[in-house]
Amino acid sequence: MSKVIKNGTIVTADRTWKADVLIKHDKIVAIGHDLHADHEIDATGCYVMPGGIDPHTHLEMPFMGTYSSDDFESGTRAALSGGTTMVVDFCLPSPGQSLLEAIDMWSNKSTRACCDYSYHMAITWWGEQVFNEMQQVVDKGITSFKHFMAYKGALMVNDDEMYSSFQRCAELGALPLVHAENGDVVAQLQQKLLAEGNDGPEAHAYSRPPEVEGEATNRAIMIADMAGAPLYVVHTSCEQSHEAIRRARQKGMRVYGEPLVQHLVLDESEYFDKDWDHAARRVMSPPFRNKQHQDSLWAGLSAGSLQVVATDHCAFTTEQKRYGVGDFTKIPNGTGGLEDRLPVLWTKGVNTGRLTMNEFVAVTSTNIAKILNIYPKKGAIVEGADADIIVWDPEKTKTITSGAQQSAIDYNVFEGIEVKGLPKHVLTRGEIAVENFAVKAKPGHGQFVGREPHQAVSKALSTWKELVAPRKVERTGIPASGV
Ligand code: DUC
Ligand code: ZN
Ligand code: ZN
Ligand code: ZN
């Protein structure tokens, strides 16, 4: 069946204009005037934008002795309800586990996804098996590899492992990602704080100051440069990390930074002089920062030194958070945000003048589509693109409250914030998932989106032996993604 979105104003990352959008099956087939179809969607007074892409979610993830509470069904329903039509989740092998086995596990979890999804593969250990399997992972369309520089004794990888993995990424045309915090320093600060009797959630913030993030970001950038690889820094939360990214980009390195909507909008006062549950519900890594760091992140988004706004959606119930009563290091790290990312960013960014509408589309959708090499299938309103589209009502308001949310948890970190600007209709590959603000997402509709590798940037070495032998690395760069 064909559909047409009529009378709206199309907003993409690079232009704003009035036109109708014609959809057949799952694709956009025409953009123009006086288009007709079996079914009309009226967009009078609304903006027609590419659906949001959240490149950083943890759905049903085993972590800190439990599992994050939103699975692929509730998580992607939440995503669609807020205008996000694709998520990229982290496939997380336990140390020693085959990467391919982990992909099978995640494929089983994602069968009831309501919107399209892809995966990043986490490198949680290193060895010849991982080196070899990375090729097969790329062949399956997973072309980004995440490295945790924190969570010592669990997920953390060391510098030698990271350097080897980055070199392997460079030759496979894959993009390395880092969670940049100095895990050794964090572990020491945690022990010191506990020994001094600081066991509450506010100590979580003290144990992860901006310096641990700035140091790790800079270290990862230098290692990526030596390996000849680009780098994507997830959840950039502070000026120290942003500064390292800015500097690297100015030198011509392809380094990308991803602030979270939570860090842009919520600050460290959420941890102090608050009741235990309130503070613990906001424990995530990195923690919320002060106003100066927030200003730095906003500036980076409008200046282009930071490219993507994500959520790191990793939702735990209050009951799960209470595993950390008496020891803040046991509070499961993570917050929700999937369904609120777009309305909150629009309200605090576009409505305040910090972002233009086009910049909003760039940082919520188009830039990450380019970085992940899925543009213009995703992130664009052009003929031939997937019909992942939001019809956005800029006048519609609501007050965020957990009682009305799709996420499975019992609170919302944005509780009480009034947003202005909400998705009236949402289409996921041509299917209506939100109609007149009512959610109609269908479990199982979502499909895996495989990605082509980027141009490989270093000479093929292809055997583990060559990698462990010292060699000269040439810095050749990868093709510009234009962001
Ligand atoms: N940070 C979180 O807060 N949760 C999930 C993993 C992470 O790095
Ligand atoms: Zn119809
Ligand atoms: Zn992280
Ligand atoms: Zn994360």
Side-chain angles (χ1 to χ4, degrees):
M1 186 181 48
S2 59
K3 297 185 182 77
V4 64
I5 303 173
K6 289 193 81 75
N7 311 318
T9 300
I10 301 175
V11 179
T12 63
D14 55 5
R15 55 189 288 235
T16 305
W17 78 108
K18 274 189 170 297
D20 301 339
V21 180
L22 182 65
I23 297 151
K24 282 211 176 110
H25 306 294
D26 56 348
K27 300 272 189 229
I28 296 171
V29 295
I31 296 165
H33 295 283
D34 297 318
L35 301 177
H36 298 280
D38 307 332
H39 182 68
E40 280 192 11
I41 297 167
D42 183 28
T44 304
C46 292
Y47 298 117
V48 179
M49 305 190 285
I53 300 169
D54 191 334
H56 191 159
T57 68
H58 301 281
L59 301 174
E60 207 186 333
M61 181 176 79
F63 189 51
M64 297 186 71
T66 184
Y67 281 83
S68 58
S69 278
D70 276 315
D71 58 16
F72 274 82
E73 183 176 340
S74 67
T76 55
R77 182 183 289 114
L80 285 166
S81 77
T84 289
T85 54
M86 178 174 171
V87 301
V88 191
D89 205 76
F90 289 84
C91 203
L92 196 76
S94 39
Q97 189 186 21
S98 151
L99 310 189
L100 306 174
E101 221 175 87
I103 295 175
D104 287 343
M105 285 171 60
W106 257 255
S107 302
N108 288 333
K109 290 180 205 267
S110 60
T111 53
R112 287 181 64 76
C114 305
C115 71
D116 287 359
Y117 55 91
S118 192
Y119 303 127
H120 308 289
M121 174 58 68
I123 298 295
T124 55
W125 63 290
W126 187 248
E128 187 170 2
Q129 184 187 341
V130 175
F131 174 92
N132 289 328
E133 287 184 348
M134 282 172 81
Q135 173 77 66
Q136 292 158 273
V137 172
V138 167
D139 292 343
K140 287 178 183 288
I142 299 169
T143 55
S144 43
F145 292 88
K146 161 89 169 278
H147 305 76
F148 289 90
M149 301 170 78
Y151 301 114
K152 187 174 180 175
L155 302 171
M156 183 169 124
V157 287
N158 296 322
D159 292 350
D160 54 349
E161 298 167 323
M162 223 164 53
Y163 179 50
S164 296
S165 175
F166 285 11
Q167 288 179 77
R168 182 65 164 151
C169 285
E171 74 162 351
L172 295 174
L175 175 68
L177 277 54
V178 282
H179 169 130
E181 288 184 304
N182 185 316
D184 289 311
V185 173
V186 169
Q188 288 231 1
L189 289 174
Q190 287 176 328
Q191 290 321 306
K192 180 170 183 287
L193 285 155
L194 283 174
E196 290 165 354
N198 292 306
D199 62 16
E202 66 286 354
H204 173 78
Y206 294 132
S207 72
R208 309 181 99 98
E211 288 76 10
V212 301
E213 188 182 337
E215 185 282 324
T217 303
N218 195 54
R219 176 158 41 100
I221 288 170
M222 296 295 157
I223 291 173
D225 194 30
M226 288 184 278
L231 185 70
Y232 183 95
V233 183
V234 304
H235 50 47
T236 305
S237 77
C238 64
E239 162 59 15
Q240 285 86 336
S241 177
H242 179 198
E243 180 189 25
I245 294 167
R246 273 199 313 267
R247 192 169 56 231
R249 288 175 67 88
Q250 218 163 20
K251 289 179 189 298
M253 295 164 63
R254 290 190 175 85
V255 178
Y256 307 105
E258 173 206 82
L260 307 180
V261 67
Q262 296 93 318
H263 287 118
L264 287 163
V265 170
L266 303 170
D267 66 39
E268 62 186 3
S269 66
E270 302 284 349
Y271 302 119
F272 307 120
D273 302 319
K274 293 284 197 302
D275 63 73
W276 195 97
D277 282 348
H278 181 102
R281 288 162 170 169
R282 286 145 181 91
V283 162
M284 65 174 304
S285 296
F288 301 156
R289 308 295 192 190
N290 68 24
K291 178 93 178 39
Q292 283 71 41
H293 294 294
Q294 294 182 319
D295 287 345
S296 166
L297 302 180
W298 282 109
L301 290 173
S302 53
S305 48
L306 301 171
Q307 295 74 34
V308 177
V309 176
T311 63
D312 196 2
H313 186 95
C314 188
F316 296 103
T317 61
T318 304
E319 199 186 327
Q320 289 175 304
K321 290 285 185 179
R322 287 184 186 154
Y323 297 164
V325 171
D327 180 351
F328 71 90
T329 67
K330 298 197 163 55
I331 301 171
N333 285 198
T335 60
L338 250 178
E339 66 198 277
D340 305 309
R341 178 178 65 128
L342 267 56
V344 169
L345 190 71
W346 182 276
T347 303
K348 302 292 183 182
V350 177
N351 291 348
T352 60
R354 279 167 163 154
L355 296 175
T356 67
M357 294 192 294
N358 308 96
E359 286 164 352
F360 174 85
V361 173
V363 302
T364 56
S365 181
T366 306
N367 286 353
I368 191 65
K370 291 180 180 178
I371 291 167
L372 296 180
N373 215 8
I374 50 174
Y375 182 86
K377 174 182 168 67
K378 302 290 186 188
I381 303 233
V382 292
E383 285 175 23
D386 283 358
D388 285 359
I389 302 175
I390 43 186
V391 177
W392 188 263
D393 182 345
E395 298 301 324
K396 181 78 173 174
T397 60
K398 79 167 184 187
T399 302
I400 294 177
T401 177
S402 60
Q405 74 190 8
Q406 302 296 326
S407 166
I409 62 171
D410 57 322
Y411 61 93
N412 186 310
V413 295
F414 298 115
E415 183 78 29
I417 292 185
E418 176 155 349
V419 290
K420 185 178 180 197
L422 284 160
K424 182 174 184 181
H425 308 293
V426 178
L427 279 78
T428 156
R429 263 185 302 100
E431 290 275 333
I432 298 178
V434 174
E435 188 166 33
N436 261 318
F437 306 105
V439 184
K440 305 185 157 179
K442 287 195 194 81
H445 170 76
Q447 290 179 357
F448 173 72
V449 178
R451 296 175 276 132
E452 291 291 321
H454 299 263
Q455 180 190 319
V457 295
S458 64
K459 287 190 203 105
L461 36 75
S462 301
T463 72
W464 166 254
K465 266 197 208 125
E466 281 176 67
L467 182 62
V468 289
R471 72 186 183 112
K472 189 170 172 295
V473 179
E474 282 173 46
R475 199 181 139 203
T476 50
I478 60 157
S481 65
V483 289

